[in-house]
Amino acid sequence: MADVCTQGVDTGFVALGYAKIAFLGVVQGLTELLPVSSTAHMRLVPALLGWQDPGSAFSATMQLAALAAIVSYFWSDVRYVTFGSLDAIRQRDWSSPSIRLAIAIVIATVPIVIAGLLLSSSLNACGTSFRSLWVIGIACVVMGLLLAVAELYSRHRKDIGQMTLMDALFVGITQVGALIPGVSRSGSTLTGALFLGLKREEAARFSFLLGLPAIALAGLKELYELHKAHIPMEAWSVLLVGLIVGSISSFITIWGLMRFLERFSTWPFVIYRIGLGAVILFGVLTMGWA
């Protein structure tokens, strides 16, 4: 699909209109928070339907829909970390579990902030090689295999409260992989948390809480880039439709995933990721997908 640029910003979503963006909002919402890579789906689904690639700016901005869903679903955790940390600071209670969790999230966020700043000029540029189907297909397969190893390796016994700051840093380093399309932010952090021995639902919970700063920073940065590009009002309204639909589907996805992981393993996601990557690579090799 052709790239559409506005002052260097990938704005392919503008040409799709409200109905198609609403549909892609559902796709984005369902896949952003599952360990299956939303970027892979946002490249593959439009290509299969013969639509314009919505572009990296749309994918990055749509993370704000996931942000709204995470805050809503985990509001008790968000409130606990935020207000509990403020109370602990006022009381100088540095052993408070709330402030320890807050510090862990901050430490785990540092690696992706540094990497994102270093790679910002190429990550969301028009025609970037990072969004090539070759990269996405390989990333899907590799992360599927890593998730399989983590599932086999983990004893699934630890809670978030048992994590050390070094554990948090390790998960934060794995989150850097999410900058590569096809890896999946939730997939990389869930995999890292499982390697540390966390229970599946606890690994997902920490993955979502950890994602709040990174998702907010990435989404707001992309909104600023779109503002600088002076996109028309119609483009903003199209984007708003995607955000509203995406936030609703993201909330439903979190609800379903948390209940799924309380009862089952991550093997369905392993199989799906490897299968998706294989389909993408087959299409690139035999059907000329680009």
Side-chain angles (χ1 to χ4, degrees):
M1 310 304 290
D3 296 308
V4 178
C5 293
T6 303
Q7 296 188 16
V9 179
D10 193 343
T11 56
F13 71 92
V14 179
L16 290 174
Y18 297 103
K20 292 178 180 178
I21 283 298
F23 177 81
L24 293 179
V26 174
V27 175
Q28 175 83 11
L30 291 174
T31 58
E32 175 68 33
L33 299 177
L34 293 179
V36 296
S37 175
S38 60
T39 304
H41 291 80
M42 295 304 288
R43 282 285 281 116
L44 184 60
V45 171
L48 291 176
L49 295 175
W51 296 354
Q52 167 70 43
D53 178 5
S56 54
F58 176 76
S59 297
T61 306
M62 282 295 292
Q63 292 182 76
L64 295 175
L67 178 71
I70 294 171
V71 171
S72 299
Y73 188 89
F74 291 101
W75 174 242
S76 60
D77 286 309
V78 173
R79 182 177 57 190
Y80 168 75
V81 172
T82 305
F83 296 106
S85 297
L86 292 175
D87 288 340
I89 291 172
R90 281 195 294 267
Q91 299 170 17
R92 291 182 170 79
D93 181 11
W94 310 116
S95 62
S96 167
S98 59
I99 198 169
R100 284 182 57 82
L101 180 55
I103 292 172
I105 291 173
V106 170
I107 289 174
T109 302
V110 170
I112 197 169
V113 170
I114 295 174
L117 289 173
L118 292 175
L119 297 172
S120 61
S121 61
S122 56
L123 284 175
N124 293 328
C126 291
T128 175
S129 59
F130 278 95
R131 280 178 66 84
S132 72
L133 288 178
W134 265 112
V135 172
I136 292 172
I138 292 172
C140 282
V141 173
V142 170
M143 276 307 302
L145 294 174
L146 287 175
L147 183 56
V149 174
E151 185 64 54
L152 292 170
Y153 173 83
S154 178
R155 296 183 177 182
H156 310 296
R157 294 177 180 174
K158 292 172 63 175
D159 296 319
I160 288 179
Q162 296 173 277
M163 292 180 65
T164 66
L165 296 182
M166 288 303 296
D167 288 340
L169 179 61
F170 173 77
V171 179
I173 292 172
T174 66
Q175 187 176 216
V176 173
L179 295 175
I180 302 173
V183 167
S184 165
R185 195 209 62 80
S186 59
S188 61
T189 52
L190 178 65
T191 300
L194 288 176
F195 268 116
L196 295 174
L198 268 72
K199 300 173 185 176
R200 295 182 186 94
E201 67 273 18
E202 288 289 282
R205 180 171 158 236
F206 184 71
S207 170
F208 287 135
L209 293 176
L210 172 58
L212 289 175
I215 290 172
L217 290 171
L220 292 173
K221 176 184 178 298
E222 205 57 41
L223 277 182
Y224 177 66
E225 293 297 329
L226 290 172
H227 170 71
K228 288 199 304 181
H230 302 293
I231 63 174
M233 185 57 65
E234 181 186 359
W236 287 111
S237 61
V238 168
L239 185 60
L240 180 62
V241 169
L243 286 170
I244 293 172
V245 174
S247 63
I248 296 171
S249 59
S250 292
F251 187 90
I252 295 172
T253 299
I254 296 175
W255 182 87
L257 178 63
M258 294 303 292
R259 276 148 188 77
F260 180 88
L261 293 178
E262 288 172 1
R263 298 170 176 81
F264 306 104
S265 73
T266 61
W267 282 108
F269 300 114
V270 170
I271 296 169
Y272 181 82
R273 285 194 64 106
I274 294 175
L276 177 64
V279 168
I280 291 173
L281 293 175
F282 179 80
V284 172
L285 288 171
T286 64
M287 303 175 66
W289 291 359

